[in-house]
Amino acid sequence: MNEQKLAIVLGGTSPHVLLVNKLKERGYYVLLIDYLENPPAKKVADEHLRESTLDQDKVLEIAKERKADLVISTCIDQANSVCCYVAEKLGLPHPYSYKTSLEVTDKGLMKRIFVENGIPTSNYTTTESVDSIDWNLVQYPAVVKPVDCNSSKGVRRVDSDEETRLRVAEAIEMSRTKTAIIEGFNSGAEIQVDCVSTQSGVKVMMTRQKQKIASDGNDMVLQSYGSVFPAPLSDEFKRQAQEIAEKIANAFKLENTPFFYQAIVTETGIKVLEFAPRIGGGLSYHVLKSFGDYDAVECAIDSFLGKTIVVEPKEQTRFHSTNLLYMRPGVFDSVVGLEELHQKGFVTDCFVMKSKGCKIDSDMRSSNRVAAFIVEGESYEELKQKARKTFASVEIRDIQGNDLLNREIYSNL
């Protein structure tokens, strides 16, 4: 081990399994830091320490003591910030400044920079208490969320002062800095735009449109069960998407790094919700690599190491969709029927994201996704037909053998 370079990976999430493997291929001894006892990436790491990835001083202490050559996280916002903090303290390579990392992990700072740099976004206000809400800046419908949480945690739509007070109190409680943001709600399709800032310009590698979870009108959670690729955008909206990508890279001084932004396509133009100077979690890597010929993890590692990224977008000739499986509260046991559809070729690929015995609660956040599948076709309608049949055929069973697949959320498919 003494002759090997040491890479510290912050966060043992499933997408980091690939990160660990790619670092080992590059000759690194990989030390994983994650407070969980058995995070998914533990099985491939050389070593695992149970510490919080968000405790920057503890991570600094470990990196200094172990003489780390690299501290990296590719798909966790707050962990990326810790990486930049430690790297600046120890003189290690990193993709952007610690200051930038703070600006993109605090949604209030991010929105302010959007406004200052002409990046189209909704009106907003931040508050540290229910009593200090600036009601002059609140217009309904609106969205309330913590300024600094992952996994869409605490994101709620509100339509009245009473709802706003309730959700702001919840968001403040969830926030590490005890701050909530209230922003205007825009109607329209939600898209994600995956980009890379390179020496030859900003490249839009792929677009996707989110598939929204069905709601009875009282469900305040704003969440999706997957995406379709590429997003059905007109030439004008494609032009806007490219222009916005360039403005974001310039505003946050992003050079030689992957990033993505999420936005709403409104009748008057694209409005940006937020962005992150990293690669996406979940199935993002798989889709980008398989259907966009873009290895996002390799690019992320090169970005951290300061190696020049050279990529070009690939023209999409077929349509694809990712579909996420959520279960009702219970203890997960198995997914039944999905692998069979994959073997028959009806499903292009499938993934199980949770281990047997994992407890699932009722929250619709991304960390509660149990499994997922990808279908492809020659039209958006073909994607829908394949997804409907798959959702109807698959079961998610708990340890008592009950089917707990939450089918209601897919009823608008």
Side-chain angles (χ1 to χ4, degrees), residues 177-201:
T177 57
K178 303 304 176 187
T179 307
I181 183 169
I182 310 167
E183 56 186 348
F185 176 84
N186 288 303
S187 297
E190 183 177 345
I191 62 170
Q192 179 168 313
V193 183
D194 293 276
C195 315
V196 185
S197 178
T198 74
Q199 291 183 354
S200 60

Side-chain angles (χ1 to χ4, degrees), residues 9 12 37 101 115 117 120 123 126 145 154 185 189 198-199 201 229 280 291 295 395:
V9 172
E37 183 177 357
S101 78
V115 173
N117 288 272
N123 62 295
T126 59
K145 52 191 173 184
F185 176 84
T198 74
Q199 291 183 354
F229 305 77
F291 310 121
D295 195 321
E395 293 185 1

